[in-house]
Amino acid sequence: MTMKRKVAILGATGAVGQRYIQLLQGHPWFQIEVLAASERSAGKKYGDACNWVMESNLPKEISEMPVASADVESVEKAGDVDLVFSSLPGDLAGPVESEFAALFPVFSKASAHRMEKDVPLIIPEINPDHADLIKVQQKQRGWKGFITTDPNCSTIQLAISLRPLMQFGLKEIIVTTMQALSGAGYPGVPSLDIIDNVVPFISGEEEKMEAEALKILGNFNGKVIQNADFKLSASCNRVHVKDGHLESVFIKLDQEPSIQEIEDAFSNFKGEPQKLKLPSAPVNPIVVRHEKNRPQPRFDRDAGCGMSVVVGRIRKDPIMTLKYMCLGHNTIRGGAGAGILSAELFVAKGLA
Ligand code: NAP
């Protein structure tokens, strides 16, 4: 990689936008050129517009950068951009991202375009071949750029854990999530709603998990994606944890593998990012813990710099075939880290 690509971040002041800024510091392939957010922030210095909630300090040069409005004209005026990371709210992202995708490669964390037939829904370890769907999209839409999307945060970690189990024949999956507060963005859930509490509802989340996993684990035949044919049922809860979604997963398989075979399938799983040695690829996409009481959000969310999914408590189930717990960092593996890894994959494949 000779020249670094200059990137714009749309939604740069939010929970995922801040994580993008943090993870892109010193990135070997990408450098931040433009930060964009709502009209409330536009025109201010980033440091004044944003309440920085990352654990690391806000870099001084980022703090001094002006915030642009999240539209093509303002972003083009603010800098010379090669690609766009979007972490806009899902209900606004649709038309704005399309406007950008006509001109730029757009890597989106928002739900707006995920389920469109000509839009890839990528987890680089699982379906890197789906990236080629952008050729169909560019032809159909007449765009110079394209849009590719990352799945919902709770779907990403689940789908990564499901991929190595496909060899045993996935039939049915039941998942209950315990999702962190940062998943609701910033400032997110009011403190008086969540202190001393669990909220057993996250708007749209169960529907997203149930639909997205089938597309991600489906087959791309060069023209369309054919969904995977297992059934998935999700039940989603918001819990009093800052970062890291924990999921309790029950699976019915065609075969009856031993616990050791399942554990080996998780531990040995590697994908294209590991083969290509992409800068943000964790060495182990799945880490297996053997302690009786792991994974836990506070201890395990930073595994593989937040890019590994941690699985534990793998056991046989008397009704289904097996059950296990799975944990992922929602704003890294489920958020900005996923967007950056996708962009690295597209660059490595010569698509961006
Ligand atoms: P957030 O903290 O609420 O941030 C939203 C961002 O969008 C802020 O930068 C905000 O700018 C900007 N924005 C709001 N209204 C806007 C408008 N009208 N025009 C332009 N920009 C506007 O949300 P988030 O958690 O970062 O989530 C961002 C996206 O990523 C969402 O689509 C979400 O579903 C998805 N996602 C989130 C997570 C997670 O763990 N949080 C994980 C995966 C995917 P201002 O500061 O100026 O208002």
Side-chain angles (χ1 to χ4, degrees):
M1 204 66 36
T2 46
M3 287 262 289
K4 281 197 188 185
R5 283 162 172 73
K6 295 179 182 168
V7 307
I9 303 170
L10 313 181
T13 50
V16 176
Q18 294 187 25
R19 194 62 83 180
Y20 266 118
I21 291 172
Q22 187 194 48
L23 295 180
L24 286 171
Q25 296 309 302
H27 193 283
W29 298 0
F30 305 130
Q31 87 183 38
I32 297 171
E33 178 77 0
V34 178
L35 300 172
S38 78
E39 294 304 326
R40 292 181 289 279
S41 307
K44 296 182 185 164
K45 282 186 187 171
Y46 184 81
D48 295 332
C50 166
N51 186 6
W52 182 256
V53 292
M54 296 294 106
E55 303 77 10
S56 54
N57 288 336
L58 172 60
K60 190 159 187 327
E61 63 282 9
I62 298 287
S63 169
E64 295 295 321
M65 281 179 73
V67 179
S69 299
D71 61 77
V72 169
E73 202 187 328
S74 307
V75 167
E76 281 189 319
K77 222 162 108 190
D80 190 10
V81 164
D82 298 310
L83 64 85
V84 174
F85 291 115
S86 167
S87 55
L88 292 171
D91 53 344
L92 298 165
V96 178
E97 290 180 347
S98 296
E99 195 197 344
F100 277 95
L103 299 169
F104 302 100
V106 176
F107 295 85
S108 172
K109 283 307 315 163
S111 57
H113 296 282
R114 281 183 197 145
M115 297 311 292
E116 290 170 11
K117 282 202 164 52
D118 60 352
V119 174
L121 184 58
I122 296 281
I123 299 176
E125 279 90 347
I126 297 185
N127 58 357
D129 57 314
H130 292 202
D132 289 316
L133 187 58
I134 61 152
K135 293 175 188 160
V136 176
Q137 180 191 110
Q138 285 176 315
K139 207 167 154 200
Q140 278 176 2
R141 304 198 190 199
W143 283 349
K144 244 175 74 191
F146 60 81
I147 182 159
T148 180
T149 58
D150 303 318
N152 164 276
C153 43
S154 40
T155 309
I156 292 182
Q157 62 182 74
L158 175 67
I160 289 174
S161 77
L162 294 178
R163 181 65 188 88
L165 301 179
M166 286 182 86
Q167 61 184 300
F168 306 119
L170 275 183
K171 279 172 85 171
E172 292 169 15
I173 298 131
I174 295 178
V175 55
T176 301
T177 69
M178 288 150 266
Q179 296 183 221
L181 291 169
S182 60
Y186 185 81
V189 187
S191 55
L192 285 182
D193 288 352
I194 197 71
I195 288 174
D196 188 29
N197 209 6
V198 171
V199 179
F201 175 68
I202 302 176
S203 182
E205 195 80 353
E206 293 170 359
E207 293 81 354
K208 284 179 198 162
M209 288 190 84
E210 289 169 6
E212 291 177 15
L214 302 182
K215 178 170 175 179
I216 299 158
L217 291 159
N219 275 324
F220 177 50
N221 65 9
K223 289 191 177 124
V224 290
I225 292 166
Q226 287 149 336
N227 277 355
D229 65 357
F230 54 80
K231 287 191 198 151
L232 194 154
S233 168
S235 180
C236 297
N237 305 281
R238 185 75 65 197
V239 298
H240 193 199
V241 165
K242 182 174 163 284
D243 294 311
H245 294 345
L246 184 63
E247 299 179 354
S248 173
V249 189
F250 294 75
I251 298 195
K252 189 174 275 181
L253 298 169
D254 284 328
Q255 299 170 29
E256 282 276 346
S258 67
I259 295 294
Q260 190 59 51
E261 285 173 311
I262 293 163
E263 203 181 301
D264 290 347
F266 282 141
S267 303
N268 297 333
F269 175 62
K270 306 260 184 214
E272 197 76 1
Q274 286 71 35
K275 281 191 208 123
L276 294 170
K277 296 192 170 23
L278 298 180
S280 303
V283 175
N284 297 304
I286 302 177
V287 171
V288 177
R289 302 287 318 198
H290 295 100
E291 301 89 332
K292 281 187 195 141
N293 60 356
R294 301 281 281 272
Q296 294 182 21
R298 200 143 46 91
F299 299 125
D300 295 306
R301 61 191 167 208
D302 293 327
C305 298
M307 289 298 283
S308 294
V309 172
V310 184
V311 165
R313 303 207 65 223
I314 306 165
R315 55 239 198 264
K316 293 271 181 187
D317 184 72
I319 298 172
M320 309 283 271
T321 313
L322 81 139
K323 54 189 167 186
Y324 59 89
M325 303 300 290
C326 136
L327 179 94
H329 195 305
N330 53 295
T331 65
I332 301 181
R333 182 79 233 202
I340 295 169
L341 190 63
S342 291
E344 291 169 358
L345 175 76
F346 276 70
V347 169
K349 281 171 75 87
L351 294 169

